[in-house]
Amino acid sequence: MVSTDRFLAFAAMSLLVIVIPGPSVLFVIGRALAHGRRTAVATALGNVVGSYLLVVAVAFGIGSLVERSVTVYLAVKLAGAAYLVFLGVQAFRHRKEMKASSIRADSAAPARGDLRTLLDGALVGVTNPKGIVFFAAVLPQFVDHSAGRLPLQMLLLGLIPISIGLVTDTLWGLTASAARAWFARSDRRLSLIGGAGGFTMIGLGLTVAVTGRAD
């Protein structure tokens, strides 16, 4: 249904956009620094779920409303920004609760909290201004109108950046969590890393709030 050349062209475009760190990457890094590898991977997975919800929205026409309406766009963007700031403040407030012993026991940690982490990542993914603009403005350009079934074409094409994003976000998260593990030799240094992760998310939320479309 979607030709190979369109797949490859969209894959190249997606890679160019994704390799430039945006809100999703910085969010995964912030969570990795604050909470470690398990949370980073779950956050990356949740983020791609949220991003694919944008693909679904665009495929069935909702995304165009967000792209055309300044009011709706700003509401979505500010909601995501506010949530990022909230998560950052929480991470900073609880930075002193991070202990080296908890890092060493991370592999034996129970599954509790994974669903919440997935939902956090999904919310950031679905409110990511970069993702909204990319999927609403770029994705429709690669469908073949003569082939019909446009929503299905968009859903298939949308799997490309989602797959790329899952790989790159996970790598970013694992790299950041490895640095965190190195700092885990000292509770004080670990607390500093937790604070840095919190500040990363707060700064990201503020950046998302003040940037975006010029209109």
Side-chain angles (χ1 to χ4, degrees), residues 138-205:
V138 178
L139 175 58
Q141 299 179 27
F142 288 86
V143 300
D144 184 356
H145 290 269
S146 63
R149 304 178 73 178
L150 301 186
L152 181 57
Q153 288 190 56
M154 291 187 189
L155 292 176
L156 291 174
L157 285 169
L159 292 173
I160 298 174
I162 293 303
S163 300
I164 296 174
L166 178 59
V167 172
T168 56
D169 285 1
T170 300
L171 290 175
W172 277 109
L174 292 176
T175 301
S177 63
R180 177 181 184 261
W182 183 79
F183 275 95
R185 298 175 185 175
S186 163
D187 285 349
R188 180 175 179 275
R189 284 181 291 178
L190 188 58
S191 176
L192 291 175
I193 283 294
F199 274 121
T200 298
M201 284 183 280
I202 293 172
L204 174 58

Side-chain angles (χ1 to χ4, degrees), residues 83-118:
Y83 192 63
L84 284 170
V85 172
F86 169 76
L87 291 176
V89 170
Q90 290 295 98
F92 183 77
R93 287 181 57 195
H94 297 289
R95 68 192 186 281
K96 293 184 178 180
E97 298 175 11
M98 300 171 65
K99 302 294 182 182
S101 57
S102 68
I103 301 299
R104 291 189 290 269
D106 184 64
S107 59
R112 185 184 65 178
D114 284 353
L115 179 59
R116 174 61 184 273
T117 300
L118 285 169

